[in-house]
Amino acid sequence: NSGIHNRAFYNVMQSKDGGGSFLFTPTEAAVLYYVTLTRLAPSSTFSDCRRTLLNVTTQRYQGQPTVQQDKLNAIKAAYTAVGIL
């Protein structure tokens, strides 16, 4: 939690489904963030990261609409909680 973006990542990792299970495994989150980082430019903003992470997640869970929506909602909430819109 040493920075705004780190707190957003922490929030993503703490996201749970209706049954109380974590929505993201550490490996799953690492892959999503790695792919996101490969698509960002040196001048990208926190908002660019949020938008790209949402796009990567949408693509990754294509064909799994319920899972996809739960994960997208968790990412949106995690970033909104730290003021990244």
Side-chain angles (χ1 to χ4, degrees):
N1 297 320
S2 62
I4 296 167
H5 200 251
N6 293 341
R7 180 60 187 206
F9 175 78
Y10 174 81
N11 291 344
V12 167
M13 291 303 299
Q14 295 304 305
S15 301
K16 295 182 179 181
D17 63 18
S21 297
F22 289 107
L23 285 171
F24 298 90
T25 66
T27 300
E28 181 179 31
V31 169
L32 292 172
Y33 274 87
Y34 176 79
V35 173
T36 296
L37 291 173
T38 65
R39 296 182 183 184
L40 295 174
S43 61
S44 293
T45 64
F46 288 154
S47 294
D48 293 331
C49 182
R50 174 189 165 135
R51 185 172 30 262
T52 304
L53 180 58
L54 290 169
N55 288 336
V56 168
T57 303
T58 297
Q59 292 171 1
R60 168 63 180 90
Y61 296 99
Q62 189 173 358
Q64 300 175 61
T66 303
V67 172
Q68 181 189 63
Q69 196 58 54
D70 288 346
K71 291 180 186 292
L72 291 173
N73 288 340
I75 292 167
K76 289 175 187 175
Y79 277 77
T80 298
V82 296
I84 300 173
L85 305 175

